Amino acid sequence: MRTILVLMDTLRKDYLSAYNPTTNVQTPNLDAFAKDSLTFDNHYIGSTPCMPARRDLMTGRLNFLERSWGPIEPFDITLPKVLAEQSVFSHLTTDHTHYFRLGGEGYINQFDTWDFQRGQEGDPWHSIMRDPEWMPEQYHGRLRKQYQANRELWCDDEDAYPTPRTFASACDWLTTNKGEQDFFLQVEVFDPHEPFDVPKKYMDLYQKDYAGPFFETPVYGKVDVPEEAEEYVRNRYSALVTMTDVHFGRLIDKLKALDMYEDTQIIVTSDHGYFLGDRELFGKNYMHNFNELAAIPLFVKHPQRKKAGKRTSELTQNIDVMPTVLDTFGIAVPAEVQGVSWQPIFEEEPRNKPFALYGAHGITVNITDGKYTYFRSPNEQNQPLFEYAGIPTTIRHYLGEADPASIQTGRFLTRTDYPVFKVPIKRAAILDGLPDVSEYTKDSLLFDLEQDPYQQSPIHNAELEEKYKTFLKEQLVILEAPKEQLERLSLNN
């Protein structure tokens, strides 16, 4: 048995024709793959953004209820390690530089082997003390000097970009291991995450005549650029989706050439979406998790082609990946896993997944049953709030470093006897560097997804809201959320 997980960061489902027939974005390889796969119409994130989403994938548990961005913990039971115990080999090939930054410890070490393609985002790779060859004087949004330095190493050479190199690395690994069984391969590309850097030939498919300032990385918050720049950055994202699709197609072609495509389970998904001017916003994390962020693509090609070309409305999310893969290999799912295998969907068997819970630590907590979605806002003080960590790192810094005397240590997590730090948090770690953005999540919202799939008109129905508040409270207890979450979300009554 072979399983391949392809993870494309920040891939919005509404940019794919498999989900949105009116899109102008060209993704012929994903379109063809969807015809061989079961397409999931109600697939959701769990924890957001990048590293919380990966801990979800790796452990089958929701990271965001306990902590923000952070490493694999010493007490985590991970998918690759469980596979290794049953002699299933695992390999990761990626260009995701967050694995190698503070707050990304331990992920790659779960795999038997791994390969890293350098250069994405602010990866400290091309070591030059001079200014990069090209630093535009005028630009919108953000400009990373280190990334401008890195791009000197590929310029407009498409195959030298990190995403093509990552897919090429996966193809090389498959060639080396042609015909092997019992492996799990994770192919993970940072694109189409910002910066939306893409060779000119792809940009020309969408726009040739932009004459404004350089723009490929929006600043998170209200759209603050001219309309033509907003349209341009959307086109850059579209172009990057197309380039990613092209190189995904090369991976599929390699599998077919090696006669390894038909009997391999292939899973294609993302970690979260992104606001590209939608609701007059750029970015992610600080606003409610509307479906532009939370509803993500999922295509699964069954090794026996079951349900090829079909769709399912079954509710799934990324914590379901771990139990699904273990189920595929016939391996028992650890008791602490919160996800639910979707393999029964292929067999027309019952599956107990009534709700998906999702969010970012210290912001809102959201619940959906596929019919309604409910965004629960915190109380006005957003307190009490703690992070629980055996390794107290988060994105680019350490938890509690401003007030270490306030940190407690103890056995606070029910699933492990491992002592952890309990760190009081005044503001969600993922909001570091942003101004006060609490206005974007100050109100709890309820949407009818059948009548209002684009979540434009919150409904005001006290009885229905009370019903979903009860569901949310019950799920928080089932999912072993720290008790103070109920108080923070005003759910104790």
Side-chain angles (χ1 to χ4, degrees):
M1 182 61 213
R2 301 183 289 250
T3 292
I4 299 174
L5 170 64
V6 179
L7 192 63
M8 302 178 186
D9 201 302
T10 318
L11 181 64
R12 281 182 50 155
K13 65 188 291 187
D14 59 338
Y15 277 61
L16 307 179
S17 62
Y19 289 100
N20 177 16
T22 66
T23 183
N24 71 327
V25 181
Q26 300 175 34
T27 55
N29 295 294
L30 281 168
D31 296 346
F33 182 74
K35 294 177 181 178
D36 290 344
S37 306
L38 179 62
T39 298
F40 288 70
D41 288 326
N42 274 319
H43 187 61
Y44 283 82
I45 63 170
S47 306
T48 188
C50 297
M51 298 319 293
R54 281 153 183 80
R55 189 167 177 233
D56 281 11
L57 283 164
M58 196 85 77
T59 65
R61 292 182 62 89
L62 290 173
N63 172 92
F64 85 98
L65 295 177
E66 296 172 356
R67 67 163 302 156
S68 64
W69 185 295
I72 289 294
E73 296 284 11
F75 46 84
D76 282 343
I77 298 172
T78 66
L79 173 59
K81 291 299 185 184
V82 175
L83 291 173
E85 290 170 0
Q86 301 298 320
S87 301
V88 177
F89 193 91
S90 63
H91 179 72
L92 168 70
T93 182
T94 183
D95 63 349
H96 200 287
T97 191
H98 291 304
Y99 284 130
F100 300 89
R101 286 177 170 159
L102 199 66
E105 298 86 355
Y107 289 86
I108 61 166
N109 311 97
Q110 305 304 305
F111 293 84
D112 289 306
T113 55
W114 53 269
D115 189 20
F116 177 42
Q117 302 300 316
R118 300 292 304 268
Q120 280 285 19
E121 206 183 38
D123 180 14
W125 180 36
H126 187 30
S127 185
I128 55 173
M129 297 175 66
R130 58 170 171 80
D131 280 345
E133 292 178 4
W134 188 65
M135 287 288 288
E137 293 183 4
Q138 294 185 322
Y139 58 90
H140 292 304
R142 299 178 63 197
L143 183 69
R144 289 179 180 269
K145 180 178 177 180
Q146 181 61 58
Y147 187 75
Q148 294 300 106
N150 293 345
R151 74 197 309 170
E152 287 186 2
L153 300 181
W154 57 77
C155 297
D156 209 35
D157 178 4
E158 178 180 347
D159 288 338
Y161 276 67
T163 281
R165 283 189 275 123
T166 301
F167 278 117
S169 166
C171 291
D172 291 343
W173 189 89
L174 288 165
T175 300
T176 300
N177 293 283
K178 177 182 178 180
E180 293 285 357
Q181 297 291 333
D182 295 331
F183 68 71
F184 172 72
L185 171 62
Q186 183 165 321
V187 184
E188 182 179 339
V189 293
F190 197 57
D191 289 334
H193 192 291
E194 77 271 23
F196 306 130
D197 178 19
V198 63
K200 182 177 182 298
K201 74 174 187 179
Y202 293 105
M203 195 60 215
D204 285 348
L205 296 173
Y206 298 95
Q207 186 172 354
K208 295 182 179 180
D209 57 355
Y210 175 71
F214 179 82
F215 189 24
E216 62 180 22
T217 303
V219 171
Y220 287 14
K222 280 280 189 184
V223 172
D224 62 350
V225 298
E227 185 176 339
E228 61 269 21
E230 182 183 345
E231 179 185 8
Y232 175 71
V233 84
R234 280 197 294 269
N235 286 331
R236 289 197 72 86
Y237 175 84
S238 298
L240 196 52
V241 170
T242 296
M243 185 187 82
T244 304
D245 177 81
V246 165
H247 292 276
F248 168 73
R250 292 186 181 182
L251 174 69
I252 298 301
D253 289 345
K254 176 59 69 173
L255 284 163
K256 291 178 178 178
L258 297 172
D259 197 25
M260 297 172 74
Y261 179 73
E262 292 297 334
D263 57 351
T264 298
Q265 175 177 248
I266 305 173
I267 302 166
V268 177
T269 189
S270 186
D271 53 355
H272 51 69
Y274 190 88
F275 278 76
L276 286 157
D278 316 82
R279 306 176 196 270
E280 300 183 0
L281 300 175
F282 278 138
K284 58 182 185 290
N285 306 330
Y286 61 91
M287 69 287 281
H288 274 300
N289 278 295
F290 292 101
N291 279 354
E292 291 93 333
L293 290 173
I296 54 177
L298 174 64
F299 307 103
V300 181
K301 189 195 79 64
H302 192 276
Q304 296 168 358
R305 278 191 178 265
K306 292 181 179 180
K307 295 191 177 292
K310 304 294 185 182
R311 309 185 79 92
T312 179
S313 60
E314 282 270 356
L315 194 62
T316 57
Q317 56 186 147
N318 275 354
I319 57 171
D320 299 337
V321 170
M322 178 183 184
T324 298
V325 173
L326 294 179
D327 200 4
T328 303
F329 283 100
I331 299 171
V333 177
E336 72 169 44
V337 168
Q338 296 170 337
V340 180
S341 171
W342 60 60
Q343 288 299 341
I345 299 172
F346 288 96
E347 308 300 333
E348 302 287 350
E349 295 176 355
R351 177 175 177 269
N352 183 27
K353 180 86 172 181
F355 301 103
L357 206 75
Y358 54 96
H361 181 267
I363 310 179
T364 62
V365 179
N366 317 294
I367 190 169
T368 185
D369 58 4
K371 299 176 182 177
Y372 293 88
T373 185
Y374 181 52
F375 302 155
R376 185 66 180 179
S377 293
N379 59 38
E380 190 173 348
Q381 294 75 34
N382 196 24
Q383 293 294 313
L385 180 60
F386 297 91
E387 296 214 34
Y388 298 85
I391 303 173
T393 57
T394 188
I395 180 169
R396 303 184 184 92
H397 66 92
Y398 293 91
L399 292 171
E401 59 189 358
D403 185 15
S406 68
I407 301 173
Q408 302 174 57
T409 306
R411 290 174 172 82
F412 298 114
L413 303 180
T414 58
R415 73 179 185 278
T416 180
D417 287 332
Y418 206 99
V420 297
F421 297 102
K422 182 179 180 181
V423 185
I425 300 296
K426 299 300 182 184
R427 188 170 189 256
I430 200 61
L431 300 180
D432 286 353
L434 293 179
D436 181 5
V437 289
S438 57
E439 65 176 295
Y440 295 107
T441 55
K442 63 183 177 64
D443 297 319
S444 296
L445 303 175
L446 178 66
F447 294 95
D448 182 335
L449 293 175
E450 294 178 347
Q451 299 299 317
D452 181 22
Y454 297 106
Q455 299 170 307
Q456 295 295 321
S457 303
I459 60 176
H460 303 283
N461 182 318
E463 182 179 354
L464 199 56
E465 183 172 359
E466 193 62 36
K467 176 181 175 180
Y468 280 88
K469 281 171 58 178
T470 299
F471 288 153
L472 176 56
K473 183 175 180 179
E474 290 173 349
Q475 289 299 305
L476 287 170
V477 173
I478 290 170
L479 295 169
E480 301 175 343
K483 292 181 180 180
E484 70 270 5
Q485 286 279 15
L486 298 176
E487 182 179 351
R488 186 181 74 92
L489 298 166
S490 302
L491 291 171
N492 278 330
N493 299 328

